[in-house]
Amino acid sequence: MLCPSQVAKLRPVPRPLLSAARRLYDDLRCSISSSSLAQVSPCVDEDCSDFLPWLERKAGVEISSFLSVGKSVYGRSLFASKAIRAGDSILKVPFNVEISPDDLLPEIRSLNIGNVAKLAAVVLKEQKMGQDSEWAPYIRSLPQPEEMHSTVFWSNEELEMIKESLVYQRTIDKKVGMEREFSVLRHALDHQFPEVSKYMNFEDFMHACALVESRAWESSKGYSLIPFADFLNHDGLAKAVLLRDEQKQFSEVIADRNYAPGEQVLISYGKFSNAILLLDFGFTLPHNIHDEVRIQISVPLQDPLYKMKLYLLQRHCLQITCKFGFSKWSSDSFTIKEVRSVKGKGTGIPQSLRAAARVLSCTSLEELNDMEEEATQNDGRLGRRPLKNFNREIQAHQLLLSHITRLIDQYNASAKLMKPTGCPASKRDGIRRSMACELLAGELRNLKSAASWLVSYTTDR
């Protein structure tokens, strides 16, 4: 939720768009735990040595006396320039130095394109202005396409590494969405600002969109880029987040722990799986505790009860589509989280997925009608209770187990193909192979946990 402007209390900012960690992977990457991220030795970032003074002059206020820009193995980062104690306000960025779609001309703001595309158009405009842009120091600090690893930048061969994951299809869908919005934007510029449109191409637009998706925070203006704050890297265990005060008009970060001078300062972007991190933000985390896997399950076309089952699934079981920027999870997919107890209630396997399995296992119209009648007499949710017929209940979960087992076999086959046979062809190849491995490993872990629970459920009753 966005923060109501009339509320003065600081609120954490929802961030479906994250500040990309711009992580630089190396051969030792997997041996570095998240708890040690802050311990990496800083390297002076000569390119950004004047960045904070420039931004403070532009803002007219001090932004931070605690932080300085440096480089780590993860790219551009913020480090403690002096001792920081938990509870210290380590940065305050006023709204007047944020970049938002408000900087567009009304003719462009009114276009039927999303907020990501609108803010990307602002970035493109400032990039084309070069040194004449009032944001030139910030624009120069942004990563180049070759430094970014969102899957929209991956080649077809690289995408093949993750073809078992729904991230594969979501990447294709995302690029189609970008192409559609670029066409709308380009058409408008051709008619109203031809001197601008002739310098635009889709590759530049895709880069600008990826910058926005990987760096922007949600705001009352749609999305906003917050210079300096977006140098903060992510730690999945951190409690510090970016806060916004709509009344006092600034964004703030409060330290969640003590930092010694020279330590990298980290915040949490949110509880995101590697699927979301890789698709939209271009990095993954080893052993991500928020990993999940999305699976698709559907009615076989040859099923004689196809129409009735499809109707019931669409009405009662299928999840509402989730959208992150250009990324959309289709409504026929279900999210499985890690099932931590084989003997427990199967927490992590959504009830809607188990309900769908019960629907799919039905062999007569009478069974389907009885199931719908039971839902009507109770809370309206279909198939959320165990079937009265014990054998049918077991068959429903065996059907789900069979589907998940096939997925596990496919994931294992992909993992074997990705085993390195020598040195990677390039640094980029090594980075993306590592990301693919971490994505599939997290999803496979959740599939295996679900399968273990389903085996227990179907054999121990």
Side-chain angles (χ1 to χ4, degrees):
M1 293 177 62
L2 296 177
C3 308
S5 59
Q6 69 271 23
V7 179
K9 184 179 179 181
L10 288 171
R11 300 287 183 86
V13 183
R15 200 177 191 192
L17 306 179
L18 307 183
S19 170
R22 296 173 303 284
R23 295 146 53 99
L24 299 179
Y25 294 75
D26 58 14
D27 293 339
L28 299 177
R29 178 179 178 279
C30 292
S31 67
I32 303 176
S33 67
S34 62
S35 61
S36 67
L37 292 180
Q39 306 300 325
V40 293
S41 300
C43 177
V44 175
D45 189 345
E46 298 292 349
D47 295 334
C48 285
S49 59
D50 296 327
F51 185 87
L52 182 57
W54 163 78
L55 191 62
E56 289 178 332
R57 289 194 300 272
K58 188 173 182 62
V61 296
E62 182 181 70
I63 289 176
S64 178
S65 63
F66 288 96
L67 302 172
S68 59
V69 184
K71 289 183 178 179
S72 70
V73 293
Y74 305 105
R76 187 160 286 126
S77 312
L78 292 184
F79 293 85
S81 54
K82 61 182 180 182
I84 294 173
R85 299 187 64 84
D88 284 341
S89 174
I90 56 177
L91 69 78
K92 284 185 180 179
V93 182
F95 286 5
N96 69 327
V97 288
E98 293 183 0
I99 304 175
S100 75
D102 284 355
D103 297 319
L104 285 172
L105 293 172
E107 296 89 341
I108 305 302
R109 288 205 305 272
S110 63
L111 290 177
N112 185 26
I113 57 177
N115 287 325
V116 170
K118 290 177 182 177
L119 188 49
V122 177
V123 173
L124 278 174
K125 180 192 74 171
E126 301 300 331
Q127 286 176 332
K128 298 306 180 185
M129 292 178 68
Q131 287 301 114
D132 293 331
S133 168
E134 64 171 308
W135 297 103
Y138 176 66
I139 297 299
R140 286 198 304 270
S141 75
L142 299 175
Q144 297 302 304
E146 60 271 16
E147 300 175 273
M148 304 184 73
H149 299 287
S150 165
T151 49
V152 296
F153 295 106
W154 288 27
S155 67
N156 291 336
E157 291 75 15
E158 289 168 334
L159 284 174
E160 281 294 309
M161 294 189 294
I162 59 170
K163 64 181 179 180
E164 304 306 334
S165 171
L166 283 189
V167 175
Y168 175 85
Q169 185 59 47
R170 296 293 82 80
T171 300
I172 296 171
D173 296 342
K174 183 175 181 178
K175 292 187 74 171
V176 170
M178 286 182 174
E179 289 170 350
R180 182 172 56 250
E181 297 206 318
F182 174 72
S183 177
V184 173
L185 179 61
R186 181 67 180 268
H187 179 76
L189 291 175
D190 282 343
H191 286 79
Q192 299 179 46
F193 308 100
E195 69 283 0
V196 175
S197 68
K198 66 181 180 180
Y199 295 110
M200 284 183 59
N201 58 57
F202 175 68
E203 288 70 25
D204 291 340
F205 178 74
M206 185 170 70
H207 175 223
C209 287
L211 288 171
V212 171
E213 284 205 305
S214 65
R215 305 179 73 86
W217 272 273
E218 189 176 347
S219 74
S220 57
K221 298 176 181 180
Y223 296 123
S224 296
L225 290 165
I226 307 177
F228 193 69
D230 63 4
F231 293 157
L232 286 163
N233 286 326
H234 171 65
D235 178 3
L237 302 179
K239 293 183 173 60
V241 295
L242 185 85
L243 306 166
R244 287 179 71 85
D245 191 320
E246 296 287 346
Q247 184 171 335
K248 295 183 179 179
Q249 298 282 289
F250 63 74
S251 299
E252 181 178 25
V253 173
I254 308 293
D256 62 338
R257 67 173 182 84
N258 297 341
Y259 287 92
E263 276 193 274
Q264 185 181 174
V265 177
L266 303 164
I267 65 172
S268 171
Y269 297 161
K271 298 177 180 180
F272 292 94
S273 68
N274 275 342
I276 294 296
L277 294 178
L278 179 56
L279 178 63
D280 289 340
F281 321 122
F283 69 94
T284 55
L285 299 174
H287 311 295
N288 187 344
I289 62 173
H290 304 300
D291 261 335
E292 57 192 28
V293 58
R294 297 188 74 92
I295 70 170
Q296 290 180 300
I297 189 167
S298 57
V299 187
L301 290 174
Q302 64 273 21
D303 192 320
L305 299 173
Y306 174 82
K307 289 185 178 180
M308 183 61 175
K309 288 182 179 180
L310 185 63
Y311 164 76
L312 291 177
L313 289 175
Q314 290 176 338
R315 183 176 180 183
H316 295 280
C317 300
L318 297 180
Q319 299 174 332
I320 297 174
T321 298
C322 299
K323 193 170 187 297
F324 291 87
F326 285 102
S327 305
K328 184 181 291 186
W329 299 115
S330 62
S331 59
D332 61 344
S333 63
F334 298 85
T335 301
I336 295 177
K337 298 181 182 295
E338 187 171 4
V339 184
R340 299 187 183 278
S341 174
V342 173
K343 299 295 183 181
K345 297 180 179 180
T347 302
I349 303 176
Q351 287 294 328
S352 57
L353 176 57
R354 296 175 66 185
R358 291 176 178 124
V359 170
L360 292 175
S361 70
C362 288
T363 57
S364 70
L365 192 60
E366 182 181 7
E367 283 183 284
L368 293 173
N369 288 332
D370 288 345
M371 193 178 293
E372 187 171 30
E373 180 64 24
E374 182 182 44
T376 302
Q377 293 175 356
N378 292 287
D379 60 3
R381 296 186 300 171
L382 184 78
R384 300 305 176 96
R385 298 184 178 188
L387 297 175
K388 294 177 182 179
N389 185 317
F390 175 79
N391 290 331
R392 183 69 70 210
E393 173 72 2
I394 297 302
Q395 289 172 8
H397 285 76
Q398 286 175 336
L399 176 69
L400 182 56
L401 174 60
S402 176
H403 181 71
I404 290 177
T405 299
R406 284 196 301 272
L407 291 176
I408 290 173
D409 291 341
Q410 292 167 8
Y411 271 74
N412 282 329
S414 291
K416 288 180 180 179
L417 292 175
M418 280 198 296
K419 285 185 177 180
T421 56
C423 295
S426 65
K427 185 176 183 180
R428 187 182 71 178
D429 178 68
I431 290 173
R432 293 181 179 176
R433 184 173 294 273
S434 175
M435 289 178 174
C437 287
E438 288 179 353
L439 170 69
L440 296 185
E443 295 188 347
L444 180 58
R445 183 177 69 250
N446 288 347
L447 287 172
K448 287 181 175 179
S449 73
S452 295
W453 184 87
L454 287 166
V455 167
S456 176
Y457 187 85
T458 55
T459 59
D460 296 345
R461 294 173 68 85

